[in-house]
Amino acid sequence: MISNFRVIIVGGGVAGLTASHALQKAGIDHVVLERSKEVAPAVGASIAIYPHGARILSQIGCLEAAKAACRPCERFITRGPDGKVWINSDFFGNVQANHGQDILLLERREFLQILYDCLPDKSFIKLGCRVRDVTQDCNGVEVSLDDGTVERGDMVLGCDGVHSLVKRRMWDLANQKIPRVITAQEKTSMVTRWKCLVGMGPAAPELGERDMTVVHADRYSFLFLTQPDKLFFFVFFRLEHEFRWPERRRYTDADAEALAASVASHPICETLVFGEIWQKRIRGSLISLEEGILQHWSHGRIVLAGDSVHKVTPNIALGGNSTMESVVVLCNHLERTLAAHHGGRVSRATLGRVFGQYQRDREKRMHEIMELSSLITRVQAWDGILPKALACWVLPFQADHKLTDQLGELIRKAPKLDYLEVDRVFGRGRLAWEDEKDSRSLDKVKKMAFVSRLTVYLAGCLTALFLAYSLSI
């Protein structure tokens, strides 16, 4: 390592492992403390890597392994409550054409293993380390572990998920230093409106070999993602009463069984009902889905990234990509700052400025991603009159490429690691990355985005008129 600066990362998931890659590439000393004794435990289902996430993977040397672990998806199919096809879209092909890179679909556990296996130096990762406390002073930070050991460094990066211990300690320390700076309103800003049956099972040829299928229903929806040898499933249920932190619901296997039984007879295509998928599952569980973005992303020498600070619903699969984005933006600022200090110590005030700029760079984009993710979740589950109208009377009549053109602006604006080159052959599609400064492509994207927004607006007006007329007769 070229620096005397040390980062203590709490959490060895997507955020923590991506941070280790980025810091190793920058020559910044660090340690990753993961409470599990496994790098990639058998929990969860899938993770989708969009082209902007793949660009980061390319920079840190993980892209080829990720590509080898999956097959590119082909069709995006939307079905009504009776299982009949409403839309059969070339969504994935359009994304590939726009950005020159496929969306990659992997088992989450397999993706974590790839991130770990591709690390240049695995000695930075420590497993079975449960954090008990985090303290800081003007000179540095200390992280105490349950086994009595202490890790010392210059800053703490909290990558320990939505129920982050680092976040809670940051709140305590902030309010001790500046009374009432972290308000009850902020602490309760992450809200849970949905619960989800999530899992994986063997291949289901009836749903395709490399397809994504959404099945609409009333206040719940199904999402299936297929690979030739496996299937991932998500069933989203709108809660009757939303709740907020510190309330946390832990569901049992019996809870999952009962909820699965309630939709077991629901058709998910012409020849399958959900109960058949559930019976054949390899694993499945019931979880809560939180949404929200904190107002304070840091205090002193403590900073947060990933689900600990911004959490979105998974229907459009932008959460993991957003986590990697936040990590690389933070690491860009750290690398520049340490280079300016010639790898030496950095004051608490300087770190505060770095963390503040990191938040400013990310906050607006994360609100856009959260709002889009929330809208897609509501549309798929017909959560209200307008989302149902969009699902039934607007989206089926949009041109095949409209959604990917709208996503194109979001994807092309994504950050990368500024201190690493991008392979020249990576991501050469119809749309240039914003940081490539291709003004012609930018004008084209703005024009497409305007036309798409106008189309949705006009379709919404027509829908509202249709509904008003229907209610009046």
Side-chain angles (χ1 to χ4, degrees), residues 301-470:
R301 293 178 174 271
I302 301 172
V303 65
L304 306 173
D307 288 353
S308 64
V309 70
H310 51 67
K311 184 74 163 58
V312 302
T313 50
N315 298 64
I316 201 167
L318 290 171
N321 296 271
S322 300
T323 289
M324 291 190 288
E325 287 183 44
S326 290
V327 167
V328 303
V329 169
L330 176 61
C331 289
N332 283 339
H333 286 298
L334 283 175
E335 190 273 339
R336 282 193 292 270
T337 301
L338 291 176
H341 285 74
H342 306 290
R345 302 296 299 276
V346 176
S347 71
R348 183 168 170 169
T350 299
L351 276 181
R353 289 191 290 271
V354 168
F355 297 160
Q357 189 58 54
Y358 152 66
Q359 178 174 345
R360 288 189 291 273
D361 287 349
R362 294 295 296 149
E363 205 164 13
K364 181 181 177 182
R365 180 172 171 85
M366 281 312 308
H367 277 284
E368 292 173 353
I369 290 170
M370 185 183 72
E371 289 164 8
L372 175 62
S373 299
S374 179
L375 176 62
I376 296 297
T377 304
R378 296 189 65 203
V379 167
Q380 291 179 356
W382 292 356
D383 182 33
I385 294 175
L386 181 57
K388 185 173 182 179
L390 287 171
C392 298
W393 296 304
V394 177
L395 295 179
F397 301 103
Q398 277 197 325
D400 193 52
H401 60 83
K402 289 299 182 184
L403 179 58
T404 48
D405 286 350
Q406 292 165 354
L407 278 173
E409 180 76 350
L410 184 85
I411 292 171
R412 70 185 295 277
K413 284 184 174 180
K416 60 177 175 58
L417 285 166
D418 294 339
Y419 50 90
L420 295 178
E421 294 295 326
V422 177
D423 191 323
R424 290 185 178 183
V425 300
F426 177 84
R428 298 299 171 187
R430 291 190 299 231
L431 306 181
W433 300 97
E434 186 181 55
D435 47 41
E436 292 180 349
K437 306 299 183 185
D438 188 328
S439 60
R440 290 175 300 171
S441 179
L442 179 60
D443 291 341
K444 179 181 177 183
V445 172
K446 286 182 176 178
K447 182 178 179 180
M448 289 191 301
F450 171 76
V451 172
S452 296
R453 289 195 297 270
L454 181 61
T455 301
V456 172
Y457 172 75
L458 292 175
C461 291
L462 290 173
T463 299
L465 289 173
F466 172 79
L467 289 173
Y469 173 75
S470 300

Side-chain angles (χ1 to χ4, degrees), residues 186-360:
E186 179 176 2
K187 290 180 178 180
T188 58
S189 59
M190 285 202 181
V191 58
T192 302
R193 300 183 180 95
W194 302 87
K195 59 184 176 181
C196 184
L197 285 170
V198 56
M200 64 176 293
E206 299 92 338
L207 294 172
E209 288 193 346
R210 293 185 284 159
D211 296 333
M212 177 169 71
T213 298
V214 168
V215 184
H216 293 296
D218 190 6
R219 292 176 65 83
Y220 65 97
S221 69
F222 300 86
L223 173 62
F224 302 97
L225 299 141
T226 61
Q227 287 283 280
D229 60 341
K230 60 178 75 77
L231 170 144
F232 306 106
F233 64 83
F234 302 81
V235 192
F236 302 90
F237 298 86
R238 185 66 155 94
L239 295 175
E240 290 299 323
H241 303 287
E242 65 184 42
F243 63 90
R244 299 170 181 268
W245 186 90
E247 183 176 353
R248 181 180 182 182
R249 296 183 187 171
R250 299 179 183 272
Y251 296 104
T252 65
D253 290 343
D255 294 329
E257 287 284 2
L259 196 58
S262 73
V263 293
S265 61
H266 194 115
I268 56 176
C269 68
E270 294 81 358
T271 57
L272 277 179
V273 295
F274 176 69
E276 296 175 272
I277 298 293
W278 182 254
Q279 288 172 359
K280 295 177 182 178
R281 72 190 183 281
I282 296 170
R283 63 175 179 268
S285 58
L286 179 59
I287 62 172
S288 294
L289 298 179
E290 301 85 1
E291 302 171 72
I293 299 172
L294 298 186
Q295 180 182 346
H296 292 84
W297 293 30
S298 64
H299 170 72
R301 293 178 174 271
I302 301 172
V303 65
L304 306 173
D307 288 353
S308 64
V309 70
H310 51 67
K311 184 74 163 58
V312 302
T313 50
N315 298 64
I316 201 167
L318 290 171
N321 296 271
S322 300
T323 289
M324 291 190 288
E325 287 183 44
S326 290
V327 167
V328 303
V329 169
L330 176 61
C331 289
N332 283 339
H333 286 298
L334 283 175
E335 190 273 339
R336 282 193 292 270
T337 301
L338 291 176
H341 285 74
H342 306 290
R345 302 296 299 276
V346 176
S347 71
R348 183 168 170 169
T350 299
L351 276 181
R353 289 191 290 271
V354 168
F355 297 160
Q357 189 58 54
Y358 152 66
Q359 178 174 345
R360 288 189 291 273

Side-chain angles (χ1 to χ4, degrees), residues 94-113:
N94 290 331
V95 169
Q96 205 285 334
N98 278 348
H99 307 285
Q101 169 64 42
D102 290 306
I103 294 177
L104 307 178
L105 177 67
L106 300 99
E107 182 183 353
R108 182 180 177 85
R109 176 177 65 168
E110 192 169 24
F111 181 61
L112 290 174
Q113 192 66 53

Side-chain angles (χ1 to χ4, degrees), residues 118-173:
C118 292
L119 281 168
D121 186 345
K122 299 176 179 60
S123 67
F124 292 100
I125 314 299
K126 294 186 178 182
L127 302 177
C129 296
R130 185 176 290 273
V131 173
R132 185 177 68 231
D133 196 13
V134 178
T135 59
Q136 64 177 352
D137 57 34
C138 59
N139 296 315
V141 294
E142 289 190 353
V143 176
S144 303
L145 306 181
D146 272 356
D147 64 3
T149 60
V150 175
E151 294 284 347
R152 294 177 175 83
D154 296 276
M155 61 169 277
V156 171
L157 173 55
C159 299
D160 49 338
V162 68
H163 301 291
S164 167
L165 180 145
V166 174
K167 175 172 61 183
R168 297 196 303 272
R169 285 297 294 137
M170 187 188 86
W171 286 345
D172 292 342
L173 293 169

